[in-house]
Structure formats: structure tokens, C-alpha cells
Amino acid sequence: QVQLVESGGGLMQAGGSLRLSCAASGNTRNINSMGWYRQAPGKQRELVATIDSNGATKYADSVKGRFLISRGNTKNTVALQMNSLKSEDTAVYYCNAVFWDNDYGGYEYWGQGTQVTVSS
């Protein structure tokens, strides 16, 4: 079993910065990529940024140049540095971890979510 614990959300004015962190615990031996998704009220959950075990990153167009995703040396932590925040960044942010097992294939876990609110 795996648990993802997020921290760092909160309220910030537009133009400010926030940093989200996520730590995976439990059986993280087969962890592959980690990432962040967000869901605003009335909208579907969307990808924000991901980073794989080799450090390759992917960003949503809406956050490119403003957000930076990184992983810790142990590969079971991920952080999202959010700069130049906009009101449209307001959402619940979810940490995601994707695993690969040669016997069971791919599977994923989600964190409980952390609220980010950007005031204009």
C-alpha cells in the first residue's frame, strides 16, 4: 500500500508564489513518474505537470514558464514551485504517483488534495 501526503497549499495574491510538496510512503519500490493534477469547481481534473524517473518533465500549456516540477533524490518526493500565480490557478491540487510492476503492470495512487486559492 502507498500513501501520498501533500502540503503547501493556501491562499495567495495574484502574482505571488506557492510551493507544493508531496511525499510517497509505503511500498514505493516500483514508483515511476510523479506529478500534479488540479480540479477547479465545475471542471474536470487536468494535468498540471509530471516528471518521470529520468527527470523528463511535461507541463500544461497554461503553466509553462511559471511552474516548475522537481523530484527529490530518493525519487519518492515531488514538489511544484508555482510562480506568477493567476486567479485561474485556483483549484484543488492532487499529487499523483504512477508505478510499474512487471507482474501486475501499471497502477497509480492519488493524494487527498490540497487547496490553492489565488485572489485577484
Side-chain angles (χ1 to χ4, degrees):
Q1 193 72 330
V2 174
Q3 285 189 326
L4 302 179
V5 178
E6 302 127 330
S7 61
L11 174 64
M12 178 55 64
Q13 288 186 334
S17 298
L18 281 174
R19 182 178 177 85
L20 304 182
S21 298
C22 174
S25 61
N27 186 3
T28 61
R29 180 169 53 91
N30 295 325
I31 197 166
N32 188 355
S33 65
M34 296 187 76
W36 292 92
Y37 291 70
R38 67 187 181 188
Q39 187 167 18
K43 294 187 177 181
Q44 289 188 330
R45 189 174 298 188
E46 63 176 4
L47 179 147
V48 177
T50 61
I51 182 167
D52 69 16
S53 56
N54 295 317
T57 58
K58 182 187 299 183
Y59 293 92
D61 288 342
S62 59
V63 307
K64 282 181 181 177
R66 300 188 298 122
F67 290 11
L68 179 67
I69 190 170
S70 60
R71 284 180 78 168
N73 291 332
T74 59
K75 305 295 184 185
N76 63 343
T77 59
V78 65
L80 184 69
Q81 178 66 40
M82 304 185 293
N83 301 320
S84 302
L85 284 163
K86 304 176 180 179
S87 57
E88 49 262 45
D89 294 320
T90 295
V92 177
Y93 284 70
Y94 295 91
C95 178
N96 171 268
V98 178
F99 295 75
W100 177 262
D101 184 279
N102 289 332
D103 293 326
Y104 300 107
Y107 53 97
E108 63 183 351
Y109 285 90
W110 293 90
Q112 79 284 358
T114 184
Q115 177 70 46
V116 171
T117 302
V118 183
S119 62
S120 57

